Amino acid sequence: MQKKKEDNLKTVAYEYLKRELLTCAILPGESISEKDVMDHLSMGRTPVREALILLQNEQLVLMYPRSGTIAKPITREHVRDLFSLRKIIEPAVAIQSLGNLDPLALREYDRHLKDICDAGSSVPLLQFHTDDIAFHEYLVRCSGNQKIIDVCRPLFLEGLRLGMYGSAQSDQYSREETYRQHHAITEALLQENTQKISDRFIEHLNSAQIHALEMIAALDS
């Protein structure tokens, strides 16, 4: 019973901190006070520390012995490395997984993201970015390769955080642009046109990378 209670507390701390990190309520590079979290959630240090270790494994925080914990910073190098890796992995995985894709599932992801775009600001940005990433996660899951899935999980979480941070810093972010790019990827997948799949993925990821770099440049100026 005690172990179950401890696990429940860890889950509460983990879900709270993860949401704060992904929505950028805790900003990139910001220090995370374990005591503040303990006080806010009315719990002890152990579940908070265990939650932070899980988040470090997901590459959302950096923990330094005797120096504390910070939300993982967002830098030009970080953005470059993130998108360079995604541009290598995602088009190749999608092409290799063509035989495993469900056309109805692809249409459903496409329709759902369009509905969110059409709803405008009545749908929170977190929901939009979560659904954006869900599409990418689905394509990787269709590979059936657990190692690829495990590699991509932190990349997608970081992509979600980056999208939320960029949206909070600038009013130039366009849901419609993201949907248009997703729709183009979906159509290429349904046509099983490998060149178009690769081109549409690169277009989409380059666009996201440019938005991220412009955001960093604006913050640095």
Side-chain angles (χ1 to χ4, degrees):
M1 184 66 69
Q2 179 63 27
K3 179 68 166 60
K4 183 176 181 180
K5 180 180 178 181
E6 291 172 356
D7 288 343
N8 287 341
L9 289 174
K10 177 177 70 175
T11 299
V12 169
Y14 167 79
E15 291 179 350
Y16 165 74
L17 283 165
K18 187 171 184 175
R19 183 178 180 85
E20 293 291 285
L21 289 160
L22 291 178
T23 59
C24 294
I26 300 175
L27 292 171
E30 185 176 345
S31 176
I32 300 172
S33 166
E34 290 185 18
K35 185 173 188 313
D36 287 350
V37 177
M38 290 160 54
D39 291 344
H40 180 78
L41 298 177
S42 300
M43 63 176 61
R45 182 178 298 276
T46 298
V48 173
R49 173 57 62 91
E50 290 177 345
L52 288 170
I53 290 172
L54 290 176
L55 292 164
Q56 179 175 241
N57 292 339
E58 293 183 337
Q59 301 177 33
L60 291 174
V61 304
L62 301 176
M63 300 178 73
Y64 299 101
R66 297 178 296 279
S67 299
T69 302
I70 64 169
K72 187 176 179 180
I74 292 175
T75 64
R76 288 184 180 83
E77 293 74 21
H78 163 237
V79 169
R80 178 199 64 205
D81 293 347
L82 172 67
F83 284 101
S84 292
L85 189 52
R86 288 186 65 181
K87 283 184 281 188
I88 291 170
I89 293 175
E90 291 189 62
V93 169
I95 291 168
Q96 291 172 11
S97 303
L98 280 174
N100 299 328
L101 299 178
D102 180 349
L104 293 179
L106 288 174
R107 286 295 188 202
E108 178 60 22
Y109 279 108
D110 185 71
R111 182 196 63 76
H112 190 59
L113 197 62
K114 186 176 190 306
D115 287 346
I116 289 178
C117 285
D118 291 345
S121 59
S122 64
V123 176
L125 274 170
L126 180 59
Q127 182 63 55
F128 175 79
H129 287 295
T130 298
D131 280 41
D132 173 356
I133 291 299
F135 173 73
H136 293 268
E137 289 175 330
Y138 168 72
L139 298 179
V140 168
R141 284 200 310 276
C142 285
S143 72
N145 186 318
Q146 192 59 48
K147 288 190 179 296
I148 292 177
I149 294 169
D150 291 343
V151 166
C152 287
R153 184 175 294 115
L155 302 182
F156 292 152
L157 284 175
E158 193 55 32
L160 194 159
R161 187 174 75 122
L162 193 55
M164 288 296 297
Y165 190 45
S167 298
Q169 300 300 319
S170 170
D171 59 3
Q172 299 302 309
Y173 182 82
S174 170
R175 301 187 193 202
E176 290 75 17
E177 179 185 0
T178 297
Y179 169 70
R180 178 187 62 78
Q181 293 165 3
H182 272 226
H183 181 70
I185 292 172
T186 297
E187 291 302 308
L189 289 167
L190 290 170
Q191 295 166 19
E192 298 190 7
N193 185 319
T194 57
Q195 187 59 57
K196 280 188 178 180
I197 292 168
S198 180
D199 290 346
R200 298 295 83 81
F201 259 106
I202 298 303
E203 176 192 9
H204 177 48
L205 294 171
N206 276 341
S207 177
Q209 181 175 3
I210 290 168
H211 281 305
L213 292 173
E214 287 175 343
M215 171 195 69
I216 292 171
L219 291 172
D220 288 346
S221 62

